[in-house]
Structures are given as C-alpha cells and as structure tokens.
Amino acid sequence: MIVDLRSDTFTRPTAAMRAVMAAADVGDDVWGEDPTARALEARAAELLGKEAALYVPSGTMANQIALLLHCSPGDEVIVGRGVHPRLYESGAGAAWAGVQFAEIGAPDGTFDGAEMEAACLPLDRNLPRTRLVAVENTHNRGGGRIWPRALIADVAARARARGLALHLDGARIWNAAVASGVAERELAAPFDTVSACFSKGLGAPVGSVIAGKVEAVERARRFRKMLGGGMRQVGILCAGALYALEHHRARLADDHANARRLAEGLAGTAGIVLDPARVETNIVIFEVGPITADELTRRVARAEVRIAPIAPHRLRAVTHLDVDAAGIDRALAAVRAALS
C-alpha cells in the first residue's frame, strides 16, 4: 500500500462517507432546492460563527470570490509571504478580480499590525488602493503554522481603523482549531469573510465554503455562478462534506500526532535539517542536504512512499486520515534507506 504524504488532498472518502453520499437527498442547487447543500451551508456557518455560508467546488474559488466581494480592479491586497491566493491559484487574483498582492512579514506567513500599516499605500491617484488584508491560517508554506491570536487581533484592529476589509483563508482552519483548542468561530471572528476546505484533512472528496454576512453570501452566490461554480444535484458532494464535519474534525489530532512522529524521526536522520518544535499541525517541511529533493523523492517512491519536493533541497510531507502510525514508520524507513 502506498504511503502518500504529498498532500492531505489525497485523502479518499471512507466507506461510511460513501454510503451517506449515495443516500443523499438532492435537488437542483442552482435553483436553491438542494436540501443537503442547505444543511451543509447552515452547519458550516454555525461552526464558523457567520450568518451564512455558500458551498463552492474549491478553496481557490472561495478565495477568488472573496477578492471579488471586497475589491475592485486595480486594488491591492496585503498578504503574508507564500500565501495560497498569490502562489497557488494560477494568477486568478489578477485575471478575475484585477488585484495585485503586497507580500509582507515572516517566512512562516505571519506579520504584525505595524508591518501591515507600513504596507498600506496613501490615497493617491497614481497608486493602487489598499483595500483588503488576507490571512492564511494554518499557513501551508509556513509548515502548517497557526497564527497567534494576539497577532491576528493586532492586525485586525489596525485594519479596521483604516477601513480595510479582512478575509481569512481558513482552508485548514479545522486543523488550527483542533491543535490550538480554540473554536473555529473564534478563529474566524475578526474577519468579514472566511473560506474553509472539506477536501483536505477532513477527507471529503470535493468542496469548500465561503462564509460571512447574509448580504455578502448572496453576492457570492452570483459570483459563483459567474465563475462556473453553479452545480445541480450537488447534495451528493455536500453529504460527504457534512459527514466529514461531524465525524472527522476531532480525529485531526491523530494527524497532528503522526506529523510530530514523522518530524521527530526525520530530525534524527543524518542529512535532514528540521526543527520538530515548529511542527504545529499536519504539515512537515524539511531540508535535505546530500542529494536534491527531486532525487530523494524518486528514491523513496521505489518503497511506495510519496513526498512532495517544494524547492531544490526542501520537501513537504502532509499527514492525513489515510496514513496511520505504521505508514509514518514506513516513510521514515524509506527516507533513511534513501540517504544511507
């Protein structure tokens, strides 16, 4: 059996999830008549502490809708280093919303209120308008970093004082909540809109939500249609996401424990550079010295272990519900053999 640590998007629906998907009560969602979609959206809004939520096919679409909600063409969005909307959404922010990004802060994706204020541009006809501050929590390229709540509070207060909108890319907000012990609604509270993903650690096959005030979500529904995200009997997919919300959130702690197990094992391996203390959730980023990341990837693949290179000597491993502790031990053995 393959141990696939390239991403938590490689999770597959469980047998129980497949059963509820097959039995889902469905209707035409573009007409607003899919009862399972409505149930999922209501539950997601409740958990995220927002008035309403909208199911969309992907986290990318959720983030792009947020840009369309808050910005006009030519506006600038302040983001942390390496955020998903800037790096991993195919330039969609420029293509659809017409925005540009001002990347600030630390390599782990965090920044403070003073850095945010320094990045705000003065009002001038020659300059783009600073309009939105976007935070990614947990931060993917930051190794699953959880934003400290005090830092978010500082950024949010200063953004509000300047009249800026706030969006949370909470693709892995479920991981942040489990690891920190802080409820999702509290993590999302400072933000006007929040996106959250079902097809990563929660293990649903497809989908995300964008949540916020009722008026914003109604506008988002139109943007979803414009972007091609209006689907019909979508309750089949929403049933899987709803099952994941109710049954797979608490078990994310297992993924975090497996990530620590992997990090500690890698840190004790010659040729690997890694600080296990920086592994907070389910993402482990490490450096390899003797060979390239691509070569290590090829070598461990022979042992049916898959890890993703993200730089010439840097790799990312992500734990999820399809990899247990025994799988972690197999991955460690494969890496050690590859470097021996």
Side-chain angles (χ1 to χ4, degrees):
M1 181 177 174
I2 292 172
V3 178
D4 202 330
L5 294 166
R6 289 174 295 172
S7 175
D8 44 9
T9 60
F10 283 95
T11 54
R12 292 158 300 181
T14 63
M17 184 184 289
R18 289 172 188 265
V20 299
M21 291 171 68
D25 187 10
V26 300
D28 191 319
D29 186 49
V30 174
W31 287 66
E33 296 181 4
D34 191 299
T36 307
R38 298 290 83 74
L40 171 64
E41 289 166 346
R43 180 61 172 144
E46 178 187 16
L47 289 171
L48 296 169
K50 301 301 181 187
E51 291 179 1
L54 176 69
Y55 182 79
V56 294
S58 69
T60 292
M61 185 177 287
N63 286 335
Q64 292 306 311
I65 288 173
L67 296 178
L68 290 165
L69 287 171
H70 298 303
C71 301
S72 297
D75 286 350
E76 186 164 84
V77 182
I78 296 174
V79 297
R81 299 200 182 280
V83 296
H84 198 278
R86 180 181 175 272
L87 282 184
Y88 298 121
E89 297 184 10
S90 303
W96 308 135
V99 300
Q100 62 187 41
F101 295 99
E103 199 177 43
I104 64 171
D108 67 0
T110 62
F111 52 88
D112 61 30
E115 290 172 303
M116 184 276 296
E117 287 191 312
C120 292
L121 295 171
L123 292 175
D124 186 309
R125 70 171 65 92
N126 300 298
L127 301 175
R129 181 183 67 156
T130 303
R131 181 66 192 101
L132 174 66
V133 179
V135 165
E136 183 179 327
N137 190 23
T138 68
H139 195 282
N140 174 18
R141 295 237 355 148
R145 173 81 157 123
I146 303 170
W147 270 68
R149 293 185 73 195
L151 210 54
I152 286 182
D154 178 36
V155 168
R158 298 194 195 208
R160 293 285 180 222
R162 288 179 169 268
L164 303 180
L166 288 153
H167 172 65
L168 174 62
D169 178 354
R172 294 182 175 90
I173 191 173
W174 322 110
N175 294 88
V178 168
S180 67
V182 178
E184 293 89 350
R185 62 172 45 246
E186 295 182 47
L187 297 175
F191 299 90
D192 299 298
T193 53
V194 54
S195 61
C197 188
F198 304 122
S199 61
K200 293 185 171 69
L202 293 186
V206 179
S208 291
V209 286
I210 179 166
K213 290 186 177 297
V214 169
E215 182 273 335
V217 170
E218 284 307 306
R219 290 177 59 214
R221 192 174 299 277
R222 178 174 173 79
F223 285 132
R224 183 184 70 174
K225 179 68 173 178
M226 292 170 68
L227 294 172
M231 297 179 286
R232 302 300 177 177
Q233 285 71 37
V234 74
I236 292 173
L237 299 176
C238 291
L242 193 56
Y243 182 91
L245 278 183
E246 304 305 341
H247 295 88
H248 290 174
R249 280 164 48 231
R251 65 143 310 280
L252 291 172
D254 298 338
D255 298 340
H256 301 166
N258 283 332
R260 287 190 294 273
R261 183 187 188 98
L262 178 64
E264 289 164 2
L266 288 171
T269 301
I272 298 292
V273 178
L274 167 67
D275 179 4
R278 295 186 64 82
V279 176
E280 297 179 329
T281 54
N282 68 322
I283 300 177
V284 180
I285 293 177
F286 61 98
E287 304 276 344
V288 59
I291 58 176
T292 66
D294 283 339
E295 180 59 26
L296 180 59
T297 299
R298 284 191 291 269
R299 292 184 186 185
V300 299
R302 298 169 194 151
E304 296 192 320
V305 172
R306 295 177 180 171
I307 302 175
I310 57 173
H313 289 276
R314 184 177 301 149
L315 300 100
R316 185 186 76 158
V318 188
T319 56
H320 52 80
L321 62 83
D322 284 346
V323 178
D324 58 13
I328 296 300
D329 292 341
R330 277 185 55 199
L332 286 169
V335 170
R336 288 165 182 158
L339 294 175
S340 64

